[in-house]
Amino acid sequence: MTLYGIIVEGNYDKAAFKEIIKKCILSDIKIISRPCGGKDHLMKSFPGHLKSFCYEKQGSHIDKALVIRDADNRDPAELHKKMESKITNRTYPFEVKFIIIIQELETWFLADEEAISRVTQARSGKPVARVNENLESIRQPKEKLQEILSKAGIYYTPEVAKEIARELDLSKIEYHCPRFREFRQAVIDC
C-alpha cells in the first residue's frame, strides 16, 4: 500500500483532500495529513513536517508527499518558487510536490453543484443552484459556498467539506477549473 503524506492549511483541507486524492488515484493508498492552522503556519512549518514524514512508515519514510495551499489572489508561480526555495538545500527520500490552488479549495466544490446538492438534500432536503461565474475568478469562494449552503439550511464544517469532496465529479472540476488538471497530474506523478 502506498503511503501519501499531505501538508495542508487546515481541517477543511484535511477532510476534503483525503477524499479527492483517493478519487484521483483509484488504488489502495493510505494518507496521513498535517493540517497547519492556516497558510502562514503552513509556509513556516512545512519543511519540518516533511522531515517528520521520513519516519512515518514503521520507522521508515512515506512514499509520496504533497504540500497544498491556496493562492488566495496571489501569483501561483511566485508562491511555488517561494516554497521550493525553503527546501533547496534539503533532501528527502521521497518526492515532494507543491500544489497551489487558484483561489481556494472551495472553488473546486463550486464546479459541481450536483455534488453540493446531494449533500444538502441529504441533510436538509434542499438542492442548490448552479454558480454561473468564472469560478477561478471568484475572490472569496469559501464565503460563496457558505452562502449557498446557508440558503440550503446547513453550515459549512470539515465534515460537510468531506461529504462534498466524496460526491465530486472530477471531470466537472477539470472543465470549470483548468488548473485542477495540474493537481490531478501531480497526485498521480508524485
Side-chain angles (χ1 to χ4, degrees), residues 3 52-62 93:
L3 179 60
S52 76
F53 287 159
C54 292
Y55 310 100
E56 278 294 328
K57 196 174 179 180
Q58 298 170 337
S60 184
H61 62 85
I62 63 166

Side-chain angles (χ1 to χ4, degrees), residues 7 22-23 27 35 53 56 63 72 74 76 92-93 97 127 129 132 143-145 156 167 173 181 184 189:
I7 301 169
K22 287 177 184 174
K23 282 179 165 264
S27 66
F53 287 159
E56 278 294 328
D63 300 300
D72 291 323
R74 295 183 61 193
Y92 303 99
K97 294 276 188 182
N132 290 316
E143 284 75 11
K144 182 82 172 177
L145 179 64
Y156 186 45
E167 295 293 329
I173 303 173
R181 284 185 207 109
R184 192 177 204 174
D189 291 347

Side-chain angles (χ1 to χ4, degrees), residues 4 6 8 10-33 66 68 105 108-109 115 119 156-171 173 180 183-184 187-188:
Y4 276 68
I6 61 170
V8 295
N11 289 326
Y12 290 83
D13 303 296
K14 174 185 170 183
F17 281 117
K18 283 186 172 184
E19 297 298 324
I20 295 171
I21 290 168
K22 287 177 184 174
K23 282 179 165 264
C24 290
I25 299 296
L26 296 176
S27 66
D28 197 19
I29 62 170
K30 183 177 178 187
I31 301 171
I32 57 171
S33 60
L66 302 169
I68 308 167
L105 163 69
W108 295 350
F109 291 171
V119 174
Y156 186 45
T157 65
E159 184 59 30
V160 170
K162 179 179 179 178
E163 290 174 21
I164 294 171
R166 191 178 299 138
E167 295 293 329
L168 287 172
D169 178 341
L170 301 185
S171 65
I173 303 173
F180 179 76
F183 169 81
R184 192 177 204 174
V187 169
I188 293 167

Side-chain angles (χ1 to χ4, degrees), residues 70-82:
D70 299 332
D72 291 323
N73 302 313
R74 295 183 61 193
D75 179 4
E78 187 178 299
L79 288 170
H80 195 275
K81 266 188 201 173
K82 186 174 180 180

